[in-house]
Amino acid sequence: MAERILVTSALPYANGPIHIGHAVEYVQTDIFVRFLRSCGKDVVYFCADDTHGTPIEINAAKQGLKPEDFVARWYDSHQADFRDLGVSVDYFHSTNSPENKHYAEYIYGKLKEHGDIEKRDIEQAYCETDKRFLPDRFIKGTCPNCKAADQYGDACEKCGKAYAPTDLIEPRCALCGTPPVRRKSVHLFFKLSRHADFLKDTLRKPGFVNQGLATQLQGFFEAGLADWDISRDGPYFGFSIPGETDKYFYVWLDAPIGYIATTEKWAQTTGKAKSALDYWAENSDARIIHFIGKDIVYFHALFWPAVLKVAGLKQPESVKVHGHLTVNGEKMSKSRGTLIPVRSYLEHLDPSYLRYFYAASLGSGIEDLDLSLKDFRLRVNGELVNNIGNLANRSLSMLAGAALEKRLAPATKEGPGKALVEAALARVPEVREAFEKLEYRNAIRIITDISQSANGFLQTAAPWAKVKTDPEAARADLSDAAEVAYLLGALLTPVIPRVTEKLFAQLNAPALTFEALATARYPLLDRSRPVGTPEPLLPRLEEERVNAILGQTPAAAAEPAKEGKKEGKGEKKAAEPKPAAEARAPEAKPAEAAAPGEIEIGDFGKVVLRVGKVLAAERVPKADKLLKLTVDLGEAQPRTICSGIAEAYQPEQVQGRKVVVVANLKPRMLRGIESRGMILTAGPGGKDLSLLDPGDMPPGSEVK
């Protein structure tokens, strides 16, 4: 029986629009799911609206709506955003559903049956004006730590200290401003503390959760794992607890159960499973994978697995965690205009641009991701439009011209075109591994490398010049370039499916998948079929169009002032070696170079650093400082690089060494040799230079 995989994203709260920060997770999940489908895996992807809780109840009342009608509006809006963003869920449901009620009551019954539910008296804030107990976020007052005014009842936004609502100085109801009183109430607790050993073992499982986060979560055990209050007093929008009076399941009990409820609804609707238990039963052979943000790790890595264990259900195999999104280096903010709804983005720009940028920026870690609008525009234009899109357009446009009549050339038995395609095919396992490990930025790096090689092949072959004198040679070159474009379509389909669908149509070829690529050989295209009608896959992004998503003019949307900018998490500062010896003419002295001014992170981001392996080294005649190096950068052909390290190293000392190379430096002639790159070193120069050691990484690996 084929392996079955169930994938979920965290449920959007039905209290507002989906914004581009939420979209990081949904795009990340969708890329993974589309990749698995392309590999031929049996995978389903579920999501739902999270609909319960006091905020929804109160906001619905403010608008004169029943909570059910209020969440229904957001349900339609959220589904439209998913669809237009290209997020391919198999089913999108709601936690305010009979399926969720059934499984919430079923799971609660199992917890109670196993003695894991306990009643306790707790003291809470109560508003006598509004006749209700007040959750943390509905109490405001002065922070007991830093004395900041107007803070919520759970944590101070000024100093960051957490506290109990009862610790607030001069507390007041956030709804009416009346000082609350304290009242006791009976609440139901899940005995999470009983399952500490099980949870410790769960956190140790390879691949369950990011190891850094697993280490952080150990702190909860050191402090003593607290039992979990799973009930709330009415009035409350949610499911009433069986056997209790005026008690409701806390939203964080029934929200993750929404994953199971959505599976059940999908099974009932499609008939593709008997019930949710085909996936969620403890003895099921299915793999369950959750994608979440780092702010809700506690619920998914501790509370949720323990609940599932006691209920006799299957626990997730893996919890994939991502960081948060910043915009232009700042936290998203309504006041700054950077809390951008997905719908506002979609009104101005194709979702493919955003999906590509997120993929090009996402790794498997939990570092935050910055959407600098300037970097977004430059990267999308430079990589997606000018590199990948240009390869497809320039090759297909010439093939479709009058001289070549849309006909492809027969596959060649040997030659640079065949070598180009085979070198590209050889890198498919790297891309596959990168997608599997959620290292999307590595996948994109390899994909752009493949495209750059193909563009370089066309530049050297110059079929536009051959077409007049030797049209068949031009046809052969363009056909091999079209092969690479076809391959790129397969590799990019998980990321930008709408664009690659256009590309396949222009090639007049069926969609190419990762499953097919596992056994694919040159040629990939049916050379007997004519190509279709070419057109640009995506237009260039213009500054005005990008800034329009903020509803601002270009001037108003400028980068924030330097003193307000912070280095993004996960970004490493550039080392400060002095590599200028090989960049300038050999006679130039380091002291003559002008002191560099400050640069933006985007400027540094233009520099492509790669691991290289020195295959051969020799002295350059009549140049005391230069060595001629043959360097493997993981490309189809090694590069020749002239490096000013001859005073510090003998040729035999560098042969076989790993080095760091500036891979996108414009080629230049040094002593009659074309040098295509620059080797990074540290030190003042001359004999006192040291090669930077990238460690035991394969040639072509990215250096950041």
Side-chain angles (χ1 to χ4, degrees):
M1 185 175 180
E3 178 187 51
R4 295 179 301 161
I5 306 170
L6 186 152
V7 180
T8 73
S9 296
L11 312 187
Y13 201 41
N15 197 31
I18 292 174
H19 57 66
I20 59 172
H22 300 134
V24 171
E25 180 173 309
Y26 302 130
V27 169
Q28 182 188 42
T29 314
D30 186 65
I31 291 172
F32 184 68
V33 169
R34 287 181 184 271
F35 164 71
L36 293 178
R37 290 176 185 146
S38 183
C39 291
K41 301 292 186 181
D42 182 353
V43 57
V44 287
Y45 174 20
F46 297 136
C47 197
D49 264 349
D50 179 6
T51 58
H52 292 154
T54 302
I56 284 174
E57 176 215 341
I58 290 173
N59 285 336
K62 287 180 180 178
Q63 296 188 25
L65 295 171
K66 293 180 179 179
E68 294 84 354
D69 296 332
F70 179 78
V71 299
R73 290 184 177 182
W74 290 117
Y75 179 75
D76 293 338
S77 171
H78 291 175
Q79 283 203 99
D81 287 345
F82 269 57
R83 179 193 66 236
D84 295 344
L85 194 59
V87 177
S88 58
V89 288
D90 288 278
Y91 207 92
F92 189 88
H93 200 29
S94 167
T95 59
N96 191 47
S97 65
E99 296 81 18
N100 208 42
K101 184 174 188 292
H102 166 75
Y103 278 102
E105 292 177 351
Y106 171 82
I107 289 173
Y108 171 72
K110 290 292 184 181
L111 303 184
K112 192 173 180 180
E113 179 183 313
H114 284 82
D116 275 286
I117 299 297
E118 182 177 276
K119 290 185 177 182
R120 299 177 188 172
D121 284 337
I122 66 167
E123 191 174 64
Q124 290 180 280
Y126 183 85
C127 179
E128 294 181 312
T129 302
D130 292 300
K131 308 297 182 186
R132 67 186 307 137
F133 285 99
L134 299 175
D136 298 346
R137 301 295 284 183
F138 285 86
I139 308 171
K140 284 192 170 184
T142 300
C143 171
N145 181 54
C146 71
K147 306 302 185 290
D150 206 34
Q151 298 303 309
Y152 287 109
D154 53 355
C156 178
E157 294 182 337
K158 297 290 185 182
C159 69
K161 185 176 177 61
Y163 42 71
T166 50
D167 293 334
L168 277 176
I169 300 170
E170 297 180 351
R172 66 185 187 280
C173 171
L175 300 174
C176 67
T178 303
V181 298
R182 295 187 183 184
R183 284 194 182 181
K184 286 187 177 181
S185 177
V186 175
H187 274 225
L188 303 171
F189 284 77
F190 169 57
K191 295 181 180 179
L192 187 63
S193 57
R194 294 176 60 178
H195 306 286
D197 290 341
F198 160 74
L199 292 172
K200 288 177 182 177
D201 291 340
T202 299
L203 291 176
R204 294 189 192 104
K205 289 180 181 178
F208 175 70
V209 74
N210 176 280
Q211 281 305 298
L213 287 173
T215 300
Q216 291 180 26
L217 289 169
Q218 294 296 331
F220 287 103
F221 300 102
E222 294 166 7
L225 200 59
D227 294 335
W228 190 252
D229 187 343
I230 64 164
S231 66
R232 290 296 183 267
D233 297 287
Y236 191 83
F237 181 48
F239 297 135
S240 59
I241 300 178
E244 302 295 332
T245 301
D246 203 29
K247 302 291 179 186
Y248 296 81
F249 288 126
Y250 177 42
V251 63
W252 265 110
L253 177 84
D254 72 65
I257 294 172
Y259 301 138
I260 303 174
T262 304
T263 312
E264 181 70 31
K265 183 66 174 179
W266 167 80
Q268 294 172 4
T269 303
T270 66
K272 293 182 178 180
K274 293 179 182 178
S275 75
L277 296 182
D278 283 7
Y279 287 85
W280 290 93
E282 194 167 28
N283 61 355
S284 166
D285 61 354
R287 295 169 55 199
I288 296 172
I289 302 172
H290 295 313
F291 281 75
I292 62 167
K294 62 184 179 182
D295 54 327
I296 55 174
V297 171
Y298 178 92
F299 301 101
H300 284 79
L302 296 179
F303 176 67
W304 180 230
V307 167
L308 290 169
K309 171 182 174 290
V310 178
L313 297 172
K314 192 173 189 68
Q315 295 102 54
E317 173 190 275
S318 183
V319 179
K320 309 294 188 183
V321 186
H322 62 84
H324 296 151
L325 182 74
T326 58
V327 177
N328 287 336
E330 301 285 348
K331 287 184 178 180
M332 290 193 297
S333 162
K334 286 184 179 180
S335 62
R336 292 178 179 269
T338 54
L339 193 68
I340 306 167
V342 163
R343 185 54 47 186
S344 296
Y345 172 91
L346 292 170
E347 286 172 355
H348 297 282
L349 298 175
D350 189 300
S352 301
Y353 297 120
L354 192 66
R355 290 176 64 99
Y356 179 86
F357 182 81
Y358 282 170
S361 306
L362 279 167
S364 60
I366 59 169
E367 66 268 21
D368 292 346
L369 181 159
D370 184 49
L371 177 62
S372 159
L373 296 188
K374 180 181 178 182
D375 291 347
F376 168 58
R377 177 171 54 85
L378 292 175
R379 184 159 198 176
V380 165
N381 285 340
E383 295 178 2
L384 182 57
V385 179
N386 294 347
N387 183 6
I388 298 166
N390 183 53
L391 171 67
N393 189 249
R394 72 196 300 201
S395 54
L396 292 177
S397 294
M398 291 192 66
L399 280 168
L404 301 180
E405 303 171 323
K406 293 189 175 182
R407 288 189 294 110
L408 294 167
T412 59
K413 293 184 178 180
E414 58 183 18
K418 181 183 179 184
L420 171 77
V421 178
E422 290 179 337
L425 280 169
R427 304 205 71 184
V428 171
E430 295 178 63
V431 178
R432 179 189 291 267
E433 183 182 21
F435 278 128
E436 286 173 346
K437 294 182 176 180
L438 303 187
E439 287 292 343
Y440 297 165
R441 58 191 173 206
N442 285 346
I444 294 297
R445 175 186 59 78
I446 298 164
I447 289 167
T448 54
D449 283 351
I450 292 170
S451 182
Q452 284 174 342
S453 295
N455 277 308
F457 164 77
L458 282 180
Q459 201 66 28
T460 301
W464 48 87
K466 292 179 183 176
V467 74
K468 296 178 182 179
T469 58
D470 191 351
E472 292 310 312
R475 191 193 311 277
D477 293 337
L478 292 165
S479 297
D480 287 330
E483 291 268 336
V484 178
Y486 189 35
L487 173 61
L488 292 172
L491 302 182
L492 282 169
T493 289
V495 180
I496 47 173
R498 295 178 186 176
V499 173
T500 58
E501 184 179 354
K502 292 179 186 178
L503 176 58
F504 294 142
Q506 292 179 28
L507 286 162
N508 191 26
L512 186 60
T513 65
F514 275 92
E515 185 176 24
L517 285 173
T519 56
R521 298 292 183 270
Y522 173 86
L524 299 172
L525 287 166
D526 179 352
R527 297 295 185 99
S528 67
R529 299 176 62 173
V531 298
T533 302
E535 61 180 24
L537 295 174
L538 278 172
R540 283 177 54 83
L541 277 179
E542 301 300 332
E543 185 177 6
E544 290 78 5
R545 290 181 62 204
V546 174
N547 290 335
I549 67 176
L550 296 177
Q552 297 175 339
T553 63
E559 297 282 338
K562 288 185 174 64
E563 58 267 26
K565 297 195 75 171
K566 295 181 180 178
E567 186 178 337
K569 292 181 181 178
E571 293 173 348
K572 296 181 180 178
K573 292 184 178 179
E576 297 182 356
K578 293 190 177 180
E582 53 265 38
R584 296 187 298 270
E587 293 77 17
K589 297 178 181 179
E592 294 173 354
E598 289 185 347
I599 63 171
E600 298 285 354
I601 187 66
D603 297 322
F604 177 66
K606 297 175 186 177
V607 180
V608 178
L609 301 178
R610 297 275 187 264
V611 174
K613 182 178 181 180
V614 180
L615 303 178
E618 59 183 280
R619 290 190 175 276
V620 176
K622 300 181 181 180
D624 295 338
K625 298 180 181 179
L626 289 180
L627 290 184
K628 177 184 173 183
L629 308 178
T630 302
V631 183
D632 176 12
L633 284 176
E635 300 168 331
Q637 300 293 332
R639 295 194 190 189
T640 296
I641 299 176
C642 291
S643 180
I645 59 172
E647 292 180 286
Y649 293 93
Q650 297 297 319
E652 58 272 17
Q653 290 178 291
V654 296
Q655 190 164 322
R657 286 192 59 155
K658 298 284 182 69
V659 292
V660 178
V661 179
V662 179
N664 62 336
L665 191 68
K666 185 177 180 180
R668 66 174 301 171
M669 299 300 294
L670 292 174
R671 297 291 183 179
I673 302 168
E674 185 182 54
S675 179
R676 299 182 57 242
M678 181 169 67
I679 309 296
L680 293 191
T681 63
K687 296 180 180 179
D688 299 318
L689 280 177
S690 294
L691 290 168
L692 297 190
D693 184 0
D696 189 21
M697 300 293 291
S701 298
E702 186 176 12
V703 178
K704 298 189 72 176

